[in-house]
């Protein structure tokens, strides 16, 4: 009952009916958490665990729900955009307690389905600037600008050519924020820096991402930051083939190519899922966007491509930024 | 220096090589009178098994061989279905493509742990004494499979148009009644042709994964098999023009990547190769395919 009271306190005033419905949902959700939560997670890619970066990070989060919280989780893979809403609806109709979307490309379906099924909690594990007009929604994501800042500090200090490259899949808002952070922070640690940006045009094309990356490297970039979904493999291949250095995205890329991966900037996506589980268990389900900032990021150990002195310098700058001692102005660049 | 420098040409060759190999396969199939719509699926299968072979045998050439051999098996299966049964070539081709996506995705999932590593590189190393010479640096920069493609093109062209087996194959694609009257076993010729076709297509798939990007992902071919098919139509079923069509697409893709540096919306530039393909096909006018393409041979 305590949980129910706490949740109702957080309700926006939308009338007694809505409040009662949400109250029932939350009570049911909280009650189910004590037993077993039934959740569905929707991926746009196939075999997410094999896609290092964003999707593997999400999958590790899913694993956390299963292993640490005993949730019964169903995973839907390779769901095409036109089928997202239908898939989510089917889970809601099948009495799933929670439906999780894993990409900002899923926002339209999230907006469409959530209001129709008030008894199910719809969660967005990706960047969004607004919530659906519904009380059964939550969003967890990283501050991509801050994430870009950390990447920019790493690349700006590690480069020897004063040129770094940021390669993306499609210029969505999260990437624009990330690349803006890279531009601004790398300038602070290296005033001579030139940031080359390019997009492969999709999230799945390894060959395209590879060739786009090769081109940036031919322009002089010696540190490459890649965020192109499945295509990031192509970026890594281009970097490895040209003996430059790669900054891993979201998860640890070291095992893929130890000599090529300078470091990885971990996004700690599983912590979003941990937060979700805690919120469900505690009943803190007020609609909100939970933003994970720089303090949630971490660097994996550097490889041997940079000196110990440079590595220390990078660590110091990142620590300063995380502790709020380094001020990086927020400037939004457009890369479209 | 942005366009038409050695790096640009190498990029176009890397992009065009898998297409050229696959297009050679399609060309042979259609010259034998088989509509090879399953090309995308066979290419995808070759791409997957190429990576599998390269990773498990730790040798890129072993991967290339594996992709080729599996492609030959796929070609044989195609022959069994469309030559011996014979089923509708359009429906069977589409079914094979869908089956290949399912099969490779399923197997990729099983082997995902092992395939997370890159395959060993497949390239030439420039001798140190020649590294400073731009011409030799370029020559050594050309992917080995591109050289192999050129050799195979010459061989295919010779066999098709200058040899007795080639005449046999073309006659089967042009007029089965006349060919049968001359004592040619249509089914055997088409079966042999499809095994060769499968090998070339599988090799094209391996050229994409092992020879170029060194990894596999679901549906990595992304329609390249169909682009190769379009190149054959563009080339009017002649190897030279077909390869030129593939190279044109490679050039279009390379232009698209480079044009991004001019600024503007990247999606606009990424349309270039496809617009180029459509434009070229439209401008080349109506081509006449070998007469028997797509017609099932009933044996009477």
């Amino acid at each position: 009952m305590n949980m129910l009271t706490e949740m109702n306190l957080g309700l926006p005033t939308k009338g007694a009916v809505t409040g009662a419905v949400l109250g029932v949902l939350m009570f049911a959700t909280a009650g189910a958490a004590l037993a077993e939560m039934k959740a569905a997670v929707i991926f746009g890619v196939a075999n997410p665990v094999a896609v290092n970066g964003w999707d593997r990070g999400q999958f590790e989060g899913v694993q956390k729900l299963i292993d640490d919280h005993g949730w019964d989780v169903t995973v839907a893979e390779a769901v095409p955009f036109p089928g997202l809403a239908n898939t989510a609806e089917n889970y809601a109709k099948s009495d799933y307690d929670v439906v999780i979307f894993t990409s900002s490309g899923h926002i339209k379906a999230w907006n469409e389905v959530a209001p129709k099924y008030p008894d199910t909690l719809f969660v967005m594990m990706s960047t969004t600037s607004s919530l659906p007009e519904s009380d059964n929604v939550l969003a967890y994501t990283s501050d991509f600008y801050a994430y870009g800042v950390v990447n920019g500090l790493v690349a700006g200090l590690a480069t020897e050519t004063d040129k770094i490259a940021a390669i993306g899949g499609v210029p969505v808002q999260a990437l624009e924020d990330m690349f803006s952070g890279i531009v601004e922070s790398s300038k602070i640690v290296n005033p001579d820096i030139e940031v080359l940006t390019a997009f492969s045009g999709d999230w799945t094309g390894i060959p395209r991402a590879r060739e786009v990356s090769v081109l940036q490297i031919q322009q002089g970039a010696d540190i490459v930051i890649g965020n192109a979904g499945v295509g990031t493999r192509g970026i890594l291949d281009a970097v490895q083939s040209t003996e430059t250095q790669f900054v891993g995205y979201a998860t640890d890329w070291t095992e893929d190519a130890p000599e090529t991966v300078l470091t990885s900037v971990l996004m700690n996506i599983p912590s979003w899922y941990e937060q979700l589980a805690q919120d469900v268990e505690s009943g803190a389900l007020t609609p909100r966007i939970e933003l994970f900032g720089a303090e949630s990021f971490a660097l994996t150990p550097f490889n041997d491509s940079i000196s110990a002195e440079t590595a220390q310098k990078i660590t110091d700058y990142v620590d300063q930024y995380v502790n709020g001692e380094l001020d990086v102005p927020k400037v939004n660049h457009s890369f479209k | 220096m942005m366009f038409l420098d050695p790096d640009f040409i190498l990029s176009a060759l890397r992009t065009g090589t898998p297409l050229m190999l696959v297009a050679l396969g399609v060309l042979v199939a259609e010259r034998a009178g088989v509509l090879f719509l399953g090309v995308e699926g066979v290419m995808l299968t070759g791409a997957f098994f190429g990576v599998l072979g390269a990773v498990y045998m730790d040798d890129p050439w072993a991967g290339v061989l594996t992709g080729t051999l599996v492609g030959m098996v796929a070609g044989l299966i195609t022959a069994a279905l469309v030559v011996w049964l014979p089923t509708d070539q359009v429906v069977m081709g589409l079914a094979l493509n869908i089956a290949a996506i399912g099969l490779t995705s399923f197997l990729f999932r099983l082997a995902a742990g092992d395939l997370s590593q890159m395959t060993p590189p497949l390239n030439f190393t420039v001798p140190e004494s020649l590294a400073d010479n731009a011409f030799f640096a370029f020559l050594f920069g050309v992917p080995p499979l591109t050289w192999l493609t050129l050799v195979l093109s010459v061989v295919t062209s010779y066999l098709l148009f200058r040899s007795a087996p080639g005449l046999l194959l073309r006659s089967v694609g042009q007029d089965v009644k006349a060919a049968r009257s001359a004592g040619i076993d249509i089914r055997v010729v088409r079966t042999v042709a499809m095994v060769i076709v499968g090998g070339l297509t599988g090799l094209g798939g391996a050229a994409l994964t092992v020879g170029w990007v060194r990894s596999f992902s679901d549906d990595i071919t992304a329609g390249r098999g169909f682009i190769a098919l379009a190149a054959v139509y563009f080339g009017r079923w002649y190897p030279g023009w077909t390869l030129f069509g593939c190279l044109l697409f490679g050039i279009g893709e390379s232009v698209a990547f480079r044009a991004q540096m001019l600024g503007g919306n990247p999606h606009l530039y990424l349309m270039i190769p496809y617009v180029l393909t459509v434009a070229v096909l439209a401008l080349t006018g109506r081509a006449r395919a070998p007469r028997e393409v797509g017609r099932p041979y009933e044996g009477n």
Side-chain angles (χ1 to χ4, degrees), chain A residues 3-4 38 49 66 87 101 112 120 125 152 161 171 186 191 204-205 220 259 272 311 326:
Chain A
M3 259 185 274
L4 187 62
K38 201 171 163 192
V49 72
I66 298 167
T87 305
F101 297 97
E112 186 185 326
T120 301
M125 290 288 182
T161 61
S186 59
T204 54
E259 75 293 345
W272 310 352
L326 177 68

Side-chain angles (χ1 to χ4, degrees), chain B residues 97-141:
Chain B
N97 291 336
I98 295 164
I101 291 174
L103 176 73
T104 52
S105 296
F106 171 70
L107 294 175
F108 180 46
R109 177 180 295 272
L110 294 181
D114 297 326
L115 298 188
S116 65
Q117 57 180 300
M118 299 280 191
T119 63
L122 183 65
N123 49 30
F124 294 124
T125 309
V126 194
E128 274 190 29
S129 55
L130 299 173
D132 293 334
N133 184 308
F135 178 69
F136 283 108
F138 171 77
L139 282 186
F140 279 94

Side-chain angles (χ1 to χ4, degrees), chain B:
Chain B
M1 285 302 286
M2 196 167 137
F3 299 105
L4 297 178
D5 61 12
D7 288 329
F8 173 80
I9 297 167
L10 287 175
S11 173
L13 286 175
R14 280 194 298 268
T15 310
T17 297
L19 292 178
M20 288 194 259
L21 286 163
V22 174
L24 278 180
V26 175
L27 176 73
V28 173
E30 301 224 340
R31 280 290 181 180
V34 177
L35 181 62
F36 187 36
L37 281 187
V39 56
E40 178 79 5
V42 178
M43 184 184 186
L44 185 62
T45 310
F48 173 75
F49 281 96
V51 167
L52 207 66
V55 166
Y56 284 133
M57 289 183 257
D58 198 25
D59 181 350
W61 286 107
V64 169
L65 189 65
T66 310
T68 309
L69 289 174
V70 172
M72 290 170 91
V73 173
L76 192 62
I77 293 169
T78 308
L81 295 170
V82 302
V83 176
W84 290 90
L85 282 178
T87 53
D88 184 280
Q89 295 181 15
V90 174
V91 174
M92 194 46 65
L94 297 176
L96 276 174
N97 291 336
I98 295 164
I101 291 174
L103 176 73
T104 52
S105 296
F106 171 70
L107 294 175
F108 180 46
R109 177 180 295 272
L110 294 181
D114 297 326
L115 298 188
S116 65
Q117 57 180 300
M118 299 280 191
T119 63
L122 183 65
N123 49 30
F124 294 124
T125 309
V126 194
E128 274 190 29
S129 55
L130 299 173
D132 293 334
N133 184 308
F135 178 69
F136 283 108
F138 171 77
L139 282 186
F140 279 94
V142 174
L145 289 179
T146 305
W147 294 116
L148 180 63
T149 305
L150 293 177
V151 172
L152 286 173
S153 308
V154 173
V155 171
T156 306
S157 193
Y158 176 81
L159 285 176
L160 270 180
F161 298 102
R162 297 272 187 278
S163 75
L167 182 63
L168 204 92
L169 185 135
R170 284 188 293 126
S171 66
V172 165
Q174 200 59 38
D175 191 333
V176 283
K177 283 182 184 165
R180 199 180 56 203
S181 303
I184 298 170
D185 189 327
I186 309 293
R187 288 196 176 109
V188 169
V189 171
R190 285 186 174 171
T191 303
V192 172
M194 286 313 293
V195 171
I196 295 168
V197 167
L200 285 167
T201 310
L203 177 59
L208 171 66
T209 50
V210 182
W212 185 11
V213 298
R214 299 166 57 213
S215 51
F216 181 85
S217 67
D218 287 309
D219 198 20
I220 193 169
T221 46
R224 282 181 172 76
F226 296 121
I227 291 166
L229 193 72
V232 174
Y233 282 67
F234 163 74
R236 293 170 182 252
W237 293 268
Y238 286 98
W241 285 106
T242 297
L243 297 195
F244 177 69
C246 295
L247 198 57
L248 207 59
F249 184 84
I251 290 169
E253 278 227 305
S254 300
V255 167
F257 299 144
R258 281 165 190 248
Q260 283 196 50
M261 286 190 291
L262 301 171
N265 192 319
H267 284 96
L268 199 65
Y269 300 124
L270 292 167
M271 283 170 26
I272 291 173
Y274 302 96
V275 171
L276 202 65
T277 306
V278 171
V280 163
L281 276 174
L283 290 174
T284 48
R286 190 169 179 274
R288 187 172 294 171
R291 218 167 57 191
E292 298 291 344
V293 170
R295 294 182 190 169
Y297 173 65
E298 306 284 358
N300 48 29

